[in-house]
Amino acid sequence: MNDTANRPDMVSWLLPRSGFVKCNMDATFFESDSTAGLGVVLHNCNGYFIAAKASPISSLPSIRECEALAIREALLWISSWEDNKVIFESDAKVVVDVIYAETIGNLELRDTIKDIRRILNTKDYFSVHSLSRQVNEMTHLTARHSYKELSGFIPTIRTTLTTPYPASQFTLTSPFSLPESMDSLTLVCTVSLLAGGLYWFVCILGSAEQKGKHAVQLSGGSIQRENVQDNYNQYWSFFRRPKEIEKAEKVPAFVDTFYNLVTDIYEWGWGQSFHFSPAIPGKSNLESTRIHEEMAVDLIGVKPGQKILDAGCGVGGPMRAIAAHSGCNVVGITINEYQVSRAKAHNKKAGLDKLCDVVCGNFLEMPFEDESFDGAYSIEATCHAPKLEEVYGEIFRVLKPGSMYVSYEWVTTELYRGEDPEHVEVIQGIERGDALPGLRSYSDIAEVAKKVGFEVVKEKDLAKPPSHPWWSRLKMGRIAYWRNHILVMVLETIGVAPKGTVDVHEMLFKTADYLTRGGETGIFSPMHMILCKKPEKPQES
Ligand SMILES: C=C(CC[C@@H](C)[C@H]1CC[C@H]2C3=CC[C@H]4[C@H](C)[C@@H](O)CC[C@]4(C)[C@H]3CC[C@]12C)C(C)C
Ligand SMILES: C[S@@+](CC[C@H](N)C(=O)[O-])C[C@H]1O[C@@H](n2cnc3c(N)ncnc32)[C@H](O)[C@@H]1O
């Protein structure tokens, strides 16, 4: 037994000394139904809660006997643990005194005290002390809890202990559920780390490039969530019946479905501009994108206040950059209603809704007057037209004579060989994953432009060196795509993202690979630039 000569009665709860655990115990009576219960609470030398136990007492002993039983219970419980140095504290001073008295005068306590002494004799580092009831309040509450819970589990109880450390807030726990090493601080830290990690994974890494969309907001655009899977299947079956693609009139509807399915994922994982741009060393993706967009409007030489057309405007990333850069009024057209609503919301948020307008419509038959625009551009959009002359013809119609049109076209380059199965696989992969009725050769573009009446001012593949690879951004994103895929799977499983989102995401994942291969082999370019002019009207003599 440990030396107990200097056992001061404690007036405030003190931390156990280094290497020791402190065990407080108490018993309580419930007069309403003449039952009793006891509670035991353990803290380590840093003051952090380790474990607690509450149990009812079925027989009805005296209050003293109850207190003695609480001490015995605590000793029995802890003596089975290995290697413990424990200071036991009870507010039953009389009982504690009897434990250390020469004789056990009190008959009713005899057996219990004997048991206590026996245990103390076998444990060099166990000692029992008394402390005031007030200080033992938290243990008292635990004992009271035994009234409701027979199993020994402790619910949330706020301790009133005056520890120098603020950690004694109890959570639902079993006495054996927390190993000593996993004290409440460790638990709080672990939970915070997990919560922080989850937040980082979902909200920071999983957030939109330009804070447009978050993973939890993924939708099927204008498609009702229960129809997303069906629409994806329909989209895919379009390619299983190549004859459908040849039916030009069906293409806009198929493109519309595609953009319902992908618009949110694009915004979330790419930003508000749905196109590529050459990488610029030292510049961010956002800056390179903006520079590529501004170049388009610089090429058509328009002045502030003039009205220009964005044919196939997406959610308006380029439109806003161009309006801000040029001071022009930009009217965008897209086949997809959902994109119109997104673009309008973004315009308003950016404070550019006075300069930018968006219309839902088909660029193959535009709802605009002849000769009503001072310039026009299209960025990676006319590739969706089944017949390029139809869209170029419409743009020609709405342009004022003497005004310019620039387009960044998706094409196969001079390196593409139709007889090479690998080339065919890559190009078909790009067509299927990007809703294209069929990629054109770079050599067809100028011909079509001339056919509809344009003068071709300049033609250049902006992807060619010295430009830096446009596909490096796709390659660098691979880890993020995996993370996104896991996230999408989780969100679809728990019902946040509509059913079918995983399939759409997987399709894009594969498309990113085909696009990269197209860029690396040089057989494909998404930025074959053509600058055209609508001729001035001939002077009347
Ligand atoms: C001009 C068109 C679209 C070009 C690009 C904006 C998109 C082409 C492929 C898209 C993507 C591929 C992989 C996705 C990734 C798996 C996901 O986690 C996050 C979004 C992607 C990066 C997505 C973004 C847009 C593209 C790069 C075509 C349609 C004419
Ligand atoms: C790849 S996105 C590019 C969007 C935008 N230019 C950008 O760079 O962010 C292609 C756009 O063309 C639009 N589009 C495709 N076919 C169309 C059609 N027949 N009529 C109108 N818009 C169309 C799509 O709706 C989409 O907005």
Side-chain angles (χ1 to χ4, degrees):
M1 203 186 292
N2 210 10
D3 170 38
T4 56
N6 303 313
R7 286 181 289 108
D9 281 358
M10 294 182 200
V11 288
S12 68
W13 193 88
L14 299 173
L15 287 174
R17 59 184 182 273
S18 174
F20 277 75
V21 168
K22 189 167 270 191
C23 175
N24 289 74
M25 76 286 293
D26 197 14
T28 189
F29 271 97
F30 306 105
E31 271 147 26
S32 56
D33 57 1
S34 308
T35 52
L38 52 89
V40 184
V41 179
L42 274 137
H43 289 85
N44 69 10
C45 60
N46 292 321
Y48 294 123
F49 167 75
I50 303 171
K53 182 179 172 134
S55 41
I57 301 171
S58 44
S59 59
L60 252 190
S62 68
I63 181 93
R64 287 224 176 109
E65 206 174 347
C66 261
E67 301 282 11
L69 284 172
I71 298 172
R72 187 181 67 176
E73 183 71 25
L75 286 162
L76 280 171
W77 182 39
I78 295 164
S79 59
S80 61
W81 302 356
E82 271 175 23
D83 238 11
N84 266 312
K85 297 177 179 177
V86 190
I87 297 160
F88 294 85
E89 283 179 356
S90 161
D91 57 17
K93 185 171 183 322
V94 178
V95 178
V96 175
D97 286 346
V98 173
I99 294 170
Y100 292 106
E102 290 285 309
T103 52
I104 312 171
N106 192 325
L107 265 181
E108 58 175 0
L109 297 182
R110 185 175 293 270
D111 290 345
T112 315
I113 297 289
K114 273 186 179 169
D115 286 347
I116 293 169
R117 285 181 169 188
R118 197 168 22 80
I119 299 167
L120 287 173
N121 276 330
T122 61
K123 296 281 180 185
D124 286 345
Y125 295 103
F126 277 17
S127 59
V128 185
H129 303 255
S130 58
L131 84 173
S132 78
R133 169 87 196 262
Q134 194 192 0
V135 175
N136 210 28
E137 179 63 18
M138 182 254 318
T139 323
H140 184 70
L141 284 173
T142 310
R144 287 197 72 80
H145 178 69
S146 63
Y147 180 58
K148 290 187 186 135
E149 297 278 328
L150 301 180
S151 61
F153 285 90
I154 310 298
T156 305
I157 300 172
R158 204 181 171 84
T159 175
T160 52
L161 289 179
T162 50
T163 66
Y165 294 89
S168 303
Q169 177 150 359
F170 293 1
T171 49
L172 185 65
T173 178
S174 118
F176 301 106
S177 66
L178 284 174
E180 207 177 324
S181 56
M182 183 68 139
D183 59 26
S184 55
L185 177 69
T186 318
L187 190 71
V188 168
C189 289
T190 312
V191 171
S192 318
L193 267 174
L194 284 174
L198 196 68
Y199 174 78
W200 171 79
F201 191 78
V202 176
C203 299
I204 308 292
L205 280 179
S207 75
E209 283 265 315
Q210 273 179 274
K211 301 270 175 287
K213 273 272 156 182
H214 290 274
V216 287
Q217 298 167 316
L218 295 180
S219 76
S222 309
I223 302 171
Q224 287 197 314
R225 54 183 291 128
E226 59 273 24
N227 296 334
V228 169
Q229 182 74 67
D230 274 359
N231 274 260
Y232 171 76
N233 297 343
Q234 268 170 34
Y235 169 79
W236 208 235
S237 67
F238 204 78
F239 287 103
R240 287 198 207 102
R241 285 173 282 140
K243 286 227 156 18
E244 293 282 306
I245 305 170
E246 284 158 29
K247 286 188 193 147
E249 69 277 10
K250 293 213 169 169
V251 171
F254 144 85
V255 171
D256 180 32
T257 302
F258 174 80
Y259 280 106
N260 275 327
L261 296 172
V262 303
T263 293
D264 277 352
I265 302 184
Y266 275 20
E267 267 203 64
W268 167 52
W270 200 255
Q272 296 172 16
S273 292
F274 296 175
H275 63 82
F276 295 105
S277 49
I280 304 177
K283 300 253 184 253
S284 68
N285 292 325
L286 220 65
E287 286 172 308
S288 315
T289 303
R290 187 181 40 77
I291 289 168
H292 192 56
E293 294 165 348
E294 290 175 356
M295 189 175 86
V297 74
D298 289 342
L299 281 166
I300 57 173
V302 276
K303 297 186 193 72
Q306 288 192 315
K307 188 165 105 171
I308 56 178
L309 169 71
D310 180 339
C313 64
V315 297
M319 170 194 283
R320 286 180 287 282
I322 282 170
H325 178 67
S326 65
C328 287
N329 293 293
V330 189
V331 179
I333 184 165
T334 166
I335 194 78
N336 185 256
E337 186 81 60
Y338 181 65
Q339 289 189 338
V340 175
S341 64
R342 293 295 299 158
K344 285 193 164 169
H346 287 310
N347 290 347
K348 194 153 192 198
K349 206 166 168 199
L352 287 164
D353 49 334
K354 299 271 180 304
L355 282 184
C356 301
D357 194 13
V358 194
V359 171
C360 190
N362 185 350
F363 57 33
L364 304 173
E365 38 191 33
M366 290 192 278
F368 305 126
E369 300 273 302
D370 293 356
E371 303 183 2
S372 51
F373 287 93
D374 300 297
Y377 66 90
S378 49
I379 301 183
E380 304 188 23
T382 48
C383 49
H384 288 297
K387 291 187 184 123
L388 193 60
E389 50 270 44
E390 285 185 357
V391 57
Y392 275 17
E394 267 298 89
I395 292 168
F396 185 87
R397 178 183 69 77
V398 300
L399 277 179
K400 291 179 186 167
S403 54
M404 312 267 277
Y405 165 58
V406 67
S407 184
Y408 296 162
E409 292 291 340
W410 277 34
V411 292
T412 56
T413 69
E414 71 288 354
L415 296 178
Y416 174 71
R417 298 274 166 273
E419 62 281 4
D420 183 331
E422 206 201 317
H423 287 191
V424 174
E425 188 206 338
V426 169
I427 296 304
Q428 279 189 355
I430 293 174
E431 288 168 354
R432 289 175 184 179
D434 293 290
L436 304 178
L439 267 171
R440 283 174 263 278
S441 163
Y442 75 103
S443 57
D444 294 342
I445 310 297
E447 251 178 62
V448 174
K450 285 182 209 151
K451 194 171 151 193
V452 302
F454 280 121
E455 286 167 12
V456 176
V457 179
K458 196 171 176 186
E459 201 181 5
K460 186 179 177 191
D461 187 349
L462 302 176
K464 289 241 175 352
S467 285
H468 290 266
W470 54 267
W471 63 92
S472 58
R473 183 175 170 193
L474 274 179
K475 266 184 109 167
M476 277 174 349
R478 286 186 80 82
I479 295 174
Y481 305 159
W482 274 110
R483 178 215 55 221
N484 288 357
H485 203 59
I486 296 169
L487 207 52
V488 168
M489 286 199 283
V490 171
L491 292 173
E492 187 179 306
T493 309
I494 61 174
V496 173
K499 246 189 169 358
T501 314
V502 173
D503 285 345
V504 177
H505 191 265
E506 198 176 333
M507 172 187 79
L508 294 180
F509 208 139
K510 289 181 181 153
T511 309
D513 215 46
Y514 286 121
L515 286 162
T516 308
R517 282 167 68 188
E520 280 174 341
T521 52
I523 62 171
F524 161 76
S525 169
M527 50 191 73
H528 182 92
M529 184 274 286
I530 182 159
L531 180 64
C532 310
K533 184 175 177 182
K534 180 168 177 174
E536 299 283 359
K537 276 197 176 136
Q539 296 281 325
E540 277 171 28
S541 52

mmCIF file of all heavy atoms in Angstrom, residues 106-138:
data_model
loop_
_atom_site.group_PDB
_atom_site.id
_atom_site.type_symbol
_atom_site.label_atom_id
_atom_site.label_comp_id
_atom_site.label_asym_id
_atom_site.label_seq_id
_atom_site.Cartn_x
_atom_site.Cartn_y
_atom_site.Cartn_z
ATOM 1 N N ASN A 106 -16.685 -0.161 11.717
ATOM 2 C CA ASN A 106 -18.031 -0.116 11.153
ATOM 3 C C ASN A 106 -18.404 -1.462 10.524
ATOM 4 O O ASN A 106 -17.859 -1.885 9.523
ATOM 5 C CB ASN A 106 -18.058 0.995 10.074
ATOM 6 C CG ASN A 106 -19.477 1.294 9.644
ATOM 7 O OD1 ASN A 106 -20.291 0.381 9.591
ATOM 8 N ND2 ASN A 106 -19.730 2.548 9.340
ATOM 9 N N LEU A 107 -19.381 -2.128 11.153
ATOM 10 C CA LEU A 107 -19.737 -3.472 10.716
ATOM 11 C C LEU A 107 -20.281 -3.551 9.298
ATOM 12 O O LEU A 107 -19.915 -4.419 8.528
ATOM 13 C CB LEU A 107 -20.785 -4.043 11.688
ATOM 14 C CG LEU A 107 -20.234 -4.897 12.818
ATOM 15 C CD1 LEU A 107 -21.370 -5.421 13.678
ATOM 16 C CD2 LEU A 107 -19.415 -6.068 12.258
ATOM 17 N N GLU A 108 -21.170 -2.570 8.989
ATOM 18 C CA GLU A 108 -21.828 -2.635 7.663
ATOM 19 C C GLU A 108 -20.820 -2.473 6.511
ATOM 20 O O GLU A 108 -21.052 -2.920 5.404
ATOM 21 C CB GLU A 108 -22.951 -1.602 7.530
ATOM 22 C CG GLU A 108 -22.462 -0.189 7.739
ATOM 23 C CD GLU A 108 -23.509 0.887 7.498
ATOM 24 O OE1 GLU A 108 -24.650 0.579 7.160
ATOM 25 O OE2 GLU A 108 -23.149 2.068 7.642
ATOM 26 N N LEU A 109 -19.669 -1.828 6.810
ATOM 27 C CA LEU A 109 -18.693 -1.613 5.743
ATOM 28 C C LEU A 109 -17.619 -2.695 5.694
ATOM 29 O O LEU A 109 -16.792 -2.723 4.796
ATOM 30 C CB LEU A 109 -18.000 -0.247 5.922
ATOM 31 C CG LEU A 109 -18.858 1.006 5.829
ATOM 32 C CD1 LEU A 109 -17.985 2.246 5.988
ATOM 33 C CD2 LEU A 109 -19.585 1.059 4.501
ATOM 34 N N ARG A 110 -17.653 -3.558 6.700
ATOM 35 C CA ARG A 110 -16.522 -4.467 6.901
ATOM 36 C C ARG A 110 -16.067 -5.195 5.620
ATOM 37 O O ARG A 110 -14.923 -5.109 5.216
ATOM 38 C CB ARG A 110 -16.877 -5.478 8.007
ATOM 39 C CG ARG A 110 -15.733 -6.409 8.404
ATOM 40 C CD ARG A 110 -16.154 -7.278 9.573
ATOM 41 N NE ARG A 110 -16.348 -6.465 10.780
ATOM 42 C CZ ARG A 110 -15.368 -6.206 11.652
ATOM 43 N NH1 ARG A 110 -14.167 -6.688 11.460
ATOM 44 N NH2 ARG A 110 -15.598 -5.471 12.730
ATOM 45 N N ASP A 111 -17.012 -5.919 5.000
ATOM 46 C CA ASP A 111 -16.618 -6.757 3.847
ATOM 47 C C ASP A 111 -16.072 -5.920 2.686
ATOM 48 O O ASP A 111 -15.055 -6.268 2.075
ATOM 49 C CB ASP A 111 -17.812 -7.577 3.353
ATOM 50 C CG ASP A 111 -18.165 -8.657 4.360
ATOM 51 O OD1 ASP A 111 -17.315 -8.930 5.242
ATOM 52 O OD2 ASP A 111 -19.279 -9.199 4.248
ATOM 53 N N THR A 112 -16.763 -4.809 2.472
ATOM 54 C CA THR A 112 -16.334 -3.967 1.343
ATOM 55 C C THR A 112 -14.965 -3.369 1.609
ATOM 56 O O THR A 112 -14.081 -3.354 0.731
ATOM 57 C CB THR A 112 -17.370 -2.832 1.108
ATOM 58 O OG1 THR A 112 -18.677 -3.390 1.173
ATOM 59 C CG2 THR A 112 -17.179 -2.160 -0.232
ATOM 60 N N ILE A 113 -14.760 -2.883 2.841
ATOM 61 C CA ILE A 113 -13.468 -2.281 3.175
ATOM 62 C C ILE A 113 -12.352 -3.321 3.077
ATOM 63 O O ILE A 113 -11.254 -3.049 2.586
ATOM 64 C CB ILE A 113 -13.498 -1.640 4.591
ATOM 65 C CG1 ILE A 113 -14.518 -0.501 4.633
ATOM 66 C CG2 ILE A 113 -12.103 -1.179 5.040
ATOM 67 C CD1 ILE A 113 -14.130 0.749 3.868
ATOM 68 N N LYS A 114 -12.684 -4.547 3.508
ATOM 69 C CA LYS A 114 -11.668 -5.618 3.417
ATOM 70 C C LYS A 114 -11.243 -5.817 1.962
ATOM 71 O O LYS A 114 -10.062 -5.944 1.649
ATOM 72 C CB LYS A 114 -12.235 -6.917 3.983
ATOM 73 C CG LYS A 114 -12.058 -7.061 5.470
ATOM 74 C CD LYS A 114 -12.520 -8.450 5.858
ATOM 75 C CE LYS A 114 -12.340 -8.663 7.348
ATOM 76 N NZ LYS A 114 -13.021 -9.904 7.768
ATOM 77 N N ASP A 115 -12.251 -5.857 1.085
ATOM 78 C CA ASP A 115 -11.948 -6.031 -0.353
ATOM 79 C C ASP A 115 -11.053 -4.897 -0.843
ATOM 80 O O ASP A 115 -10.068 -5.107 -1.555
ATOM 81 C CB ASP A 115 -13.242 -6.005 -1.188
ATOM 82 C CG ASP A 115 -14.043 -7.289 -1.041
ATOM 83 O OD1 ASP A 115 -13.478 -8.262 -0.508
ATOM 84 O OD2 ASP A 115 -15.215 -7.300 -1.459
ATOM 85 N N ILE A 116 -11.413 -3.667 -0.413
ATOM 86 C CA ILE A 116 -10.644 -2.494 -0.868
ATOM 87 C C ILE A 116 -9.206 -2.614 -0.387
ATOM 88 O O ILE A 116 -8.243 -2.425 -1.149
ATOM 89 C CB ILE A 116 -11.302 -1.186 -0.351
ATOM 90 C CG1 ILE A 116 -12.679 -0.994 -1.017
ATOM 91 C CG2 ILE A 116 -10.404 0.024 -0.585
ATOM 92 C CD1 ILE A 116 -13.531 0.115 -0.405
ATOM 93 N N ARG A 117 -9.049 -2.953 0.868
ATOM 94 C CA ARG A 117 -7.687 -3.051 1.414
ATOM 95 C C ARG A 117 -6.875 -4.112 0.683
ATOM 96 O O ARG A 117 -5.695 -3.958 0.435
ATOM 97 C CB ARG A 117 -7.759 -3.389 2.915
ATOM 98 C CG ARG A 117 -8.161 -2.202 3.742
ATOM 99 C CD ARG A 117 -8.188 -2.574 5.196
ATOM 100 N NE ARG A 117 -8.313 -1.400 6.037
ATOM 101 C CZ ARG A 117 -8.205 -1.452 7.345
ATOM 102 N NH1 ARG A 117 -7.982 -2.598 7.956
ATOM 103 N NH2 ARG A 117 -8.318 -0.353 8.055
ATOM 104 N N ARG A 118 -7.563 -5.234 0.379
ATOM 105 C CA ARG A 118 -6.866 -6.330 -0.309
ATOM 106 C C ARG A 118 -6.318 -5.831 -1.666
ATOM 107 O O ARG A 118 -5.174 -6.068 -2.008
ATOM 108 C CB ARG A 118 -7.835 -7.494 -0.515
ATOM 109 C CG ARG A 118 -7.149 -8.816 -0.839
ATOM 110 C CD ARG A 118 -8.092 -10.025 -0.759
ATOM 111 N NE ARG A 118 -9.503 -9.715 -0.904
ATOM 112 C CZ ARG A 118 -10.114 -9.503 -2.064
ATOM 113 N NH1 ARG A 118 -9.431 -9.571 -3.176
ATOM 114 N NH2 ARG A 118 -11.399 -9.236 -2.099
ATOM 115 N N ILE A 119 -7.158 -5.122 -2.372
ATOM 116 C CA ILE A 119 -6.707 -4.637 -3.700
ATOM 117 C C ILE A 119 -5.560 -3.638 -3.519
ATOM 118 O O ILE A 119 -4.532 -3.701 -4.202
ATOM 119 C CB ILE A 119 -7.880 -3.982 -4.473
ATOM 120 C CG1 ILE A 119 -9.006 -5.001 -4.718
ATOM 121 C CG2 ILE A 119 -7.409 -3.405 -5.819
ATOM 122 C CD1 ILE A 119 -10.310 -4.395 -5.172
ATOM 123 N N LEU A 120 -5.735 -2.714 -2.550
ATOM 124 C CA LEU A 120 -4.698 -1.692 -2.356
ATOM 125 C C LEU A 120 -3.363 -2.334 -1.979
ATOM 126 O O LEU A 120 -2.295 -1.850 -2.351
ATOM 127 C CB LEU A 120 -5.141 -0.693 -1.292
ATOM 128 C CG LEU A 120 -6.250 0.288 -1.728
ATOM 129 C CD1 LEU A 120 -6.734 1.122 -0.547
ATOM 130 C CD2 LEU A 120 -5.765 1.212 -2.845
ATOM 131 N N ASN A 121 -3.446 -3.438 -1.222
ATOM 132 C CA ASN A 121 -2.210 -4.122 -0.811
ATOM 133 C C ASN A 121 -1.442 -4.706 -1.981
ATOM 134 O O ASN A 121 -0.233 -4.879 -1.910
ATOM 135 C CB ASN A 121 -2.531 -5.236 0.189
ATOM 136 C CG ASN A 121 -2.624 -4.665 1.590
ATOM 137 O OD1 ASN A 121 -1.954 -3.680 1.896
ATOM 138 N ND2 ASN A 121 -3.480 -5.253 2.424
ATOM 139 N N THR A 122 -2.188 -5.048 -3.048
ATOM 140 C CA THR A 122 -1.507 -5.662 -4.195
ATOM 141 C C THR A 122 -1.004 -4.616 -5.190
ATOM 142 O O THR A 122 -0.316 -4.943 -6.140
ATOM 143 C CB THR A 122 -2.450 -6.626 -4.945
ATOM 144 O OG1 THR A 122 -3.557 -5.864 -5.414
ATOM 145 C CG2 THR A 122 -2.925 -7.768 -4.065
ATOM 146 N N LYS A 123 -1.395 -3.388 -5.001
ATOM 147 C CA LYS A 123 -1.025 -2.357 -5.981
ATOM 148 C C LYS A 123 -0.187 -1.271 -5.316
ATOM 149 O O LYS A 123 -0.694 -0.490 -4.503
ATOM 150 C CB LYS A 123 -2.295 -1.715 -6.579
ATOM 151 C CG LYS A 123 -3.143 -2.701 -7.366
ATOM 152 C CD LYS A 123 -2.556 -2.937 -8.737
ATOM 153 C CE LYS A 123 -3.389 -3.913 -9.529
ATOM 154 N NZ LYS A 123 -2.791 -4.257 -10.814
ATOM 155 N N ASP A 124 1.072 -1.217 -5.679
ATOM 156 C CA ASP A 124 1.977 -0.236 -5.072
ATOM 157 C C ASP A 124 1.583 1.201 -5.395
ATOM 158 O O ASP A 124 1.865 2.111 -4.636
ATOM 159 C CB ASP A 124 3.401 -0.475 -5.587
ATOM 160 C CG ASP A 124 4.005 -1.718 -4.948
ATOM 161 O OD1 ASP A 124 3.418 -2.180 -3.933
ATOM 162 O OD2 ASP A 124 5.010 -2.226 -5.463
ATOM 163 N N TYR A 125 0.996 1.394 -6.569
ATOM 164 C CA TYR A 125 0.746 2.773 -7.008
ATOM 165 C C TYR A 125 -0.733 3.154 -6.988
ATOM 166 O O TYR A 125 -1.186 3.982 -7.741
ATOM 167 C CB TYR A 125 1.329 2.981 -8.411
ATOM 168 C CG TYR A 125 2.829 2.854 -8.416
ATOM 169 C CD1 TYR A 125 3.450 1.710 -8.881
ATOM 170 C CD2 TYR A 125 3.617 3.901 -7.910
ATOM 171 C CE1 TYR A 125 4.819 1.583 -8.868
ATOM 172 C CE2 TYR A 125 4.997 3.778 -7.887
ATOM 173 C CZ TYR A 125 5.596 2.617 -8.375
ATOM 174 O OH TYR A 125 6.954 2.509 -8.338
ATOM 175 N N PHE A 126 -1.495 2.480 -6.078
ATOM 176 C CA PHE A 126 -2.887 2.874 -5.880
ATOM 177 C C PHE A 126 -2.986 3.572 -4.525
ATOM 178 O O PHE A 126 -2.428 3.087 -3.532
ATOM 179 C CB PHE A 126 -3.806 1.648 -5.838
ATOM 180 C CG PHE A 126 -4.221 1.126 -7.203
ATOM 181 C CD1 PHE A 126 -3.536 1.490 -8.355
ATOM 182 C CD2 PHE A 126 -5.311 0.253 -7.312
ATOM 183 C CE1 PHE A 126 -3.918 0.988 -9.593
ATOM 184 C CE2 PHE A 126 -5.698 -0.243 -8.554
ATOM 185 C CZ PHE A 126 -5.001 0.126 -9.693
ATOM 186 N N SER A 127 -3.671 4.701 -4.472
ATOM 187 C CA SER A 127 -3.946 5.318 -3.179
ATOM 188 C C SER A 127 -5.314 5.981 -3.228
ATOM 189 O O SER A 127 -5.751 6.423 -4.291
ATOM 190 C CB SER A 127 -2.869 6.350 -2.827
ATOM 191 O OG SER A 127 -2.844 7.346 -3.833
ATOM 192 N N VAL A 128 -5.988 5.989 -2.058
ATOM 193 C CA VAL A 128 -7.343 6.564 -2.017
ATOM 194 C C VAL A 128 -7.310 7.828 -1.185
ATOM 195 O O VAL A 128 -6.740 7.858 -0.110
ATOM 196 C CB VAL A 128 -8.358 5.560 -1.435
ATOM 197 C CG1 VAL A 128 -9.777 6.128 -1.501
ATOM 198 C CG2 VAL A 128 -8.279 4.239 -2.176
ATOM 199 N N HIS A 129 -7.924 8.893 -1.721
ATOM 200 C CA HIS A 129 -7.957 10.191 -1.025
ATOM 201 C C HIS A 129 -9.380 10.685 -0.966
ATOM 202 O O HIS A 129 -10.237 10.223 -1.711
ATOM 203 C CB HIS A 129 -7.118 11.222 -1.792
ATOM 204 C CG HIS A 129 -5.697 10.800 -1.989
ATOM 205 N ND1 HIS A 129 -4.657 11.324 -1.274
ATOM 206 C CD2 HIS A 129 -5.142 9.883 -2.832
ATOM 207 C CE1 HIS A 129 -3.521 10.755 -1.663
ATOM 208 N NE2 HIS A 129 -3.802 9.874 -2.616
ATOM 209 N N SER A 130 -9.585 11.643 -0.069
ATOM 210 C CA SER A 130 -10.927 12.252 -0.044
ATOM 211 C C SER A 130 -10.842 13.677 -0.572
ATOM 212 O O SER A 130 -9.800 14.335 -0.491
ATOM 213 C CB SER A 130 -11.489 12.226 1.374
ATOM 214 O OG SER A 130 -10.624 12.911 2.236
ATOM 215 N N LEU A 131 -11.959 14.137 -1.104
ATOM 216 C CA LEU A 131 -12.043 15.527 -1.581
ATOM 217 C C LEU A 131 -13.455 16.012 -1.355
ATOM 218 O O LEU A 131 -14.348 15.223 -1.005
ATOM 219 C CB LEU A 131 -11.618 15.650 -3.047
ATOM 220 C CG LEU A 131 -12.617 15.367 -4.166
ATOM 221 C CD1 LEU A 131 -12.011 15.730 -5.501
ATOM 222 C CD2 LEU A 131 -13.083 13.958 -4.156
ATOM 223 N N SER A 132 -13.666 17.304 -1.534
ATOM 224 C CA SER A 132 -14.982 17.848 -1.183
ATOM 225 C C SER A 132 -16.020 17.443 -2.222
ATOM 226 O O SER A 132 -15.709 17.195 -3.390
ATOM 227 C CB SER A 132 -14.914 19.368 -1.097
ATOM 228 O OG SER A 132 -14.924 19.902 -2.387
ATOM 229 N N ARG A 133 -17.263 17.396 -1.777
ATOM 230 C CA ARG A 133 -18.380 16.997 -2.634
ATOM 231 C C ARG A 133 -18.501 17.914 -3.856
ATOM 232 O O ARG A 133 -18.725 17.480 -4.974
ATOM 233 C CB ARG A 133 -19.657 17.067 -1.769
ATOM 234 C CG ARG A 133 -20.964 16.955 -2.532
ATOM 235 C CD ARG A 133 -21.335 15.488 -2.691
ATOM 236 N NE ARG A 133 -22.353 15.313 -3.705
ATOM 237 C CZ ARG A 133 -23.642 15.179 -3.436
ATOM 238 N NH1 ARG A 133 -24.070 15.211 -2.194
ATOM 239 N NH2 ARG A 133 -24.503 15.003 -4.404
ATOM 240 N N GLN A 134 -18.282 19.194 -3.571
ATOM 241 C CA GLN A 134 -18.409 20.201 -4.636
ATOM 242 C C GLN A 134 -17.436 19.911 -5.778
ATOM 243 O O GLN A 134 -17.788 19.976 -6.951
ATOM 244 C CB GLN A 134 -18.120 21.557 -4.016
ATOM 245 C CG GLN A 134 -18.527 22.702 -4.886
ATOM 246 C CD GLN A 134 -17.932 23.994 -4.332
ATOM 247 O OE1 GLN A 134 -17.230 23.990 -3.320
ATOM 248 N NE2 GLN A 134 -18.228 25.073 -5.003
ATOM 249 N N VAL A 135 -16.218 19.554 -5.402
ATOM 250 C CA VAL A 135 -15.197 19.293 -6.413
ATOM 251 C C VAL A 135 -15.516 18.003 -7.173
ATOM 252 O O VAL A 135 -15.196 17.828 -8.340
ATOM 253 C CB VAL A 135 -13.801 19.221 -5.752
ATOM 254 C CG1 VAL A 135 -12.734 18.840 -6.757
ATOM 255 C CG2 VAL A 135 -13.464 20.553 -5.104
ATOM 256 N N ASN A 136 -16.215 17.102 -6.482
ATOM 257 C CA ASN A 136 -16.516 15.809 -7.102
ATOM 258 C C ASN A 136 -17.835 15.821 -7.881
ATOM 259 O O ASN A 136 -18.361 14.777 -8.246
ATOM 260 C CB ASN A 136 -16.575 14.734 -6.008
ATOM 261 C CG ASN A 136 -16.146 13.370 -6.531
ATOM 262 O OD1 ASN A 136 -15.358 13.291 -7.475
ATOM 263 N ND2 ASN A 136 -16.660 12.308 -5.944
ATOM 264 N N GLU A 137 -18.328 17.019 -8.174
ATOM 265 C CA GLU A 137 -19.663 17.168 -8.771
ATOM 266 C C GLU A 137 -19.822 16.381 -10.075
ATOM 267 O O GLU A 137 -20.836 15.729 -10.321
ATOM 268 C CB GLU A 137 -19.930 18.665 -9.001
ATOM 269 C CG GLU A 137 -21.272 18.996 -9.634
ATOM 270 C CD GLU A 137 -22.459 18.583 -8.754
ATOM 271 O OE1 GLU A 137 -22.271 18.362 -7.530
ATOM 272 O OE2 GLU A 137 -23.544 18.468 -9.303
ATOM 273 N N MET A 138 -18.798 16.430 -10.894
ATOM 274 C CA MET A 138 -18.905 15.783 -12.211
ATOM 275 C C MET A 138 -19.087 14.270 -12.058
ATOM 276 O O MET A 138 -19.878 13.657 -12.753
ATOM 277 C CB MET A 138 -17.645 16.104 -13.004
ATOM 278 C CG MET A 138 -17.611 15.555 -14.389
ATOM 279 S SD MET A 138 -16.526 14.182 -14.517
ATOM 280 C CE MET A 138 -15.145 14.678 -13.571
#
